[in-house]
Amino acid sequence: MSEAITPQVAARLDEGFTALGLELDAEKRERLLRLVGLLHKWNRAYNLTAIRSPEEMVSRHLLDSAAVVPHVGPAPLLDVGAGPGLPGLVLAILEPSLAVTLLDSNGKKVRFQRQAVMELGLTNVTPVQVRVEAFEPPPGGFVQIVSRAFASLADFVALTEPLLARDGRWLAMKGPAVDDELAALDAGVVVSERHVLAVPFTVGERQLLIVERTDFNPGRR
């Protein structure tokens, strides 16, 4: 285990998962802590995230990502603008049967994703380096597309609409300013669910918006 993983870091992870009401077995716990260690190590050289402290990485990356687990279904999931693999890597660790595709155009961040997948032994994750506009989805598209810090809500929906399955849905992780983005949504989509996420050890409101089509144009998918 990395020297960055102190007892305080591990305790924060344990307390955070208890507060979220999520079970964490020994294997998942070890993988999550190793993910923090890897992220901390790579961040010193490649500046993958503005968060420097391993304890803050637990709170603002791991627990923030884990908070959406109750709202994620079993169908293959696309994480758009995944950066260093968040929330996709966390979701893949917590749900080993969930097939996760990580999409980002930044080479150093995708290299980190691939290293994490290899070192953590994740067989359910596929990192892809390409711009979202050039990405070719599997036949039928993705039933679930998640974004944590990719773009405005309207841009997220518009850019990934060709990648979404007919009965698919978008999962947009947002802060309190999301109300300002709602008015820009296309008339063909609707926010079907809105969940306030209580992320332990963090200040400020986090939300998950689930967005669905109100109609379907067969010419799109």
Side-chain angles (χ1 to χ4, degrees), residues 106-169:
N106 185 298
K108 64 183 179 181
K109 293 179 179 179
V110 175
R111 284 194 294 274
F112 173 77
Q113 295 172 13
R114 290 171 177 152
Q115 186 70 19
V117 166
M118 182 184 70
E119 292 201 23
L120 301 179
L122 300 175
T123 58
N124 58 329
V125 180
T126 304
V128 178
Q129 182 187 344
V130 70
R131 290 181 60 84
V132 62
E133 300 91 336
F135 179 60
E136 290 291 335
F142 288 90
V143 173
Q144 305 183 99
I145 302 180
V146 69
S147 171
R148 182 167 175 261
F150 171 60
S152 70
L153 185 59
D155 286 348
F156 169 44
V157 168
L159 286 168
T160 60
E161 201 275 342
L163 311 178
L164 190 72
R166 182 181 184 120
D167 57 346
R169 59 183 192 155

Side-chain angles (χ1 to χ4, degrees), residues 38-58:
L38 276 171
L39 188 55
H40 182 260
K41 176 183 176 181
W42 275 62
N43 203 43
R44 288 181 293 183
Y46 298 105
N47 195 31
L48 301 176
T49 169
I51 308 302
R52 302 295 177 187
S53 157
E55 285 187 46
E56 284 298 296
M57 287 178 177
V58 168

Side-chain angles (χ1 to χ4, degrees), residues 188-201:
V189 298
V190 65
V191 176
S192 61
E193 298 177 37
R194 187 168 181 171
H195 304 278
V196 174
L197 304 175
V199 180
F201 309 110

